[in-house]
Amino acid sequence: MTYLYIKKLPSQKRTKKLSRPKRKFFAITLFIFGIFLFASAILPIIQFQLEYSTKFNQILNPLSTKYYNQSGNILGSATDFTQLDNWFAPDYQGIQTTVTSPVSPGNSVTYSISIPKLKIDRASVALGSMDLKKTLVQYPQTALPGQLGNSVIFGHSVLPQFFNPKSYITIFSTLFRLKQGDEIYVNYDDIQYKYLVEEMFEVQPTDLSVLEQRFDGKYLTLITCSPPGTYLRRLIIKSRIVDI
C-alpha cells in the first residue's frame, strides 16, 4: 500500500477590511473631532476679542498687531514663555537690560498673593526667580509689597478652559475677569496688604512703561499674556493699596 503525504501550507490570516459605510463613519467622526479641537482653541480667543479687548481699546483683528511673537504664531512658539526673561520682543532686549538687574538666589524673596474672585489662594510669588512654571514672579527692581512704588508680578496663562488656580502654568488664565474695585491680598513679611483694582488695559510686548516706578503711592501691577493662550499682547491689571 502506498501513502502520499502532502505538506499543509500555513493558513493565511485575512485582515478584515472595514466596510465602506464604516470607513465613511470613521472618517466623519475624526473630522468632527478635529473641528471640535480647533474650535475649542480658537473660539475662546475670538470671544475674548469681542467681549474684553474692545474694553481695552484693542481692535478686533488679532493678527493686526505689529508684533505677536517670535515665530509669527498665535497659539505657539519655539520660545519658552514660562521663563520671564523671554517675555519681551527680541528687538528690544537692549532696553530690557537697562531695567533689569539679576537677583542672586541667596537674596531671593518669597511671599503670597490671593485673589478671591478668581479663587487664587496664597499663590507663591518669588523675587529672584524667572521660572513661571514654579511660581509667580516679581520683576526685579520693582517695589516690595507695602512700600512706595510699583510691585510688578508676572504670571503665565493658557486657554481659559484649562484654568487651575493651583497650577502656575494656568494661574493667570482668567485674570481678564477682574473688574475695577476687585480685591487682591498680599501676605508679605507676616503682614497682609489689601489692594483694589483701579485700571485694566493691554500693551504690546515691547512696552516697558508698565515696569515704571511711581512713588506717589503703593501700587501692585499684575501682568500676563493676552488673549489667554496666545502671546499677542500683555494684559495689565493695576491696583492700589488700601487700609484694612
Side-chain angles (χ1 to χ4, degrees):
M1 184 179 289
T2 304
Y3 295 95
L4 180 65
Y5 292 94
I6 301 175
K7 187 176 181 181
K8 187 179 180 181
L9 295 174
S11 60
Q12 293 181 351
K13 291 184 178 180
R14 292 185 178 180
T15 56
K16 271 190 173 183
K17 291 185 177 180
L18 291 174
S19 63
R20 187 173 180 180
K22 286 184 178 179
R23 288 200 306 270
K24 187 176 181 180
F25 173 79
F26 186 66
I28 292 173
T29 302
L30 284 180
F31 177 76
I32 293 173
F33 183 66
I35 291 293
F36 171 77
L37 290 179
F38 180 77
S40 65
I42 294 300
L43 287 180
I45 298 173
I46 296 174
Q47 181 184 10
F48 180 91
Q49 291 292 123
L50 294 172
E51 201 170 329
Y52 291 95
S53 280
T54 51
K55 296 179 183 179
F56 303 144
N57 297 320
Q58 295 293 334
I59 53 180
L60 298 183
N61 180 7
L63 296 179
S64 63
T65 63
K66 181 180 177 183
Y67 171 84
Y68 36 100
N69 68 35
Q70 285 90 328
S71 68
N73 298 324
I74 298 177
L75 294 174
S77 170
T79 304
D80 184 3
F81 282 94
T82 63
Q83 301 301 310
L84 183 55
D85 48 4
N86 290 332
W87 272 47
F88 296 103
D91 295 340
Y92 293 79
Q93 291 298 321
I95 298 177
Q96 179 188 352
T97 58
T98 65
V99 297
T100 307
S101 65
V103 179
S104 64
N107 295 329
S108 63
V109 174
T110 59
Y111 56 92
S112 68
I113 184 172
S114 300
I115 309 176
K117 184 174 183 178
L118 305 183
K119 300 187 183 339
I120 296 174
D121 184 36
R122 292 183 176 271
S124 179
V125 182
L127 173 61
S129 168
M130 288 287 176
D131 192 349
L132 294 169
K133 295 190 298 293
K134 299 179 179 178
T135 181
L136 296 171
V137 174
Q138 178 175 334
Y139 206 82
Q141 290 189 340
T142 62
L144 288 170
Q147 295 181 353
L148 287 173
N150 182 24
S151 309
V152 181
I153 297 175
F154 284 77
H156 200 265
S157 62
V158 297
L159 292 171
Q161 60 264 43
F162 300 116
F163 169 66
N164 177 356
K166 298 187 180 301
S167 168
Y168 290 103
I169 293 293
T170 71
I171 192 166
F172 274 0
S173 299
T174 58
L175 202 63
F176 61 89
R177 291 179 180 156
L178 289 177
K179 294 181 180 178
Q180 189 176 25
D182 284 339
E183 300 170 342
I184 301 172
Y185 293 92
V186 172
N187 285 278
Y188 170 69
D189 200 19
D190 295 326
I191 301 175
Q192 185 179 73
Y193 300 99
K194 178 181 177 180
Y195 296 81
L196 294 183
V197 174
E198 290 188 335
E199 290 183 86
M200 299 177 62
F201 56 94
E202 290 178 330
V203 299
Q204 294 295 316
T206 56
D207 189 345
L208 302 182
S209 65
V210 293
L211 303 176
E212 291 176 353
Q213 295 297 297
R214 293 173 52 188
F215 297 102
D216 60 343
K218 301 172 182 179
Y219 302 94
L220 174 69
T221 299
L222 307 181
I223 301 178
T224 193
C225 288
S226 182
T230 75
Y231 310 116
L232 291 172
R233 299 180 294 272
R234 303 290 180 255
L235 174 62
I236 312 299
I237 308 290
K238 297 189 78 70
S239 58
R240 185 196 293 255
I241 203 167
V242 294
D243 294 330
I244 296 180

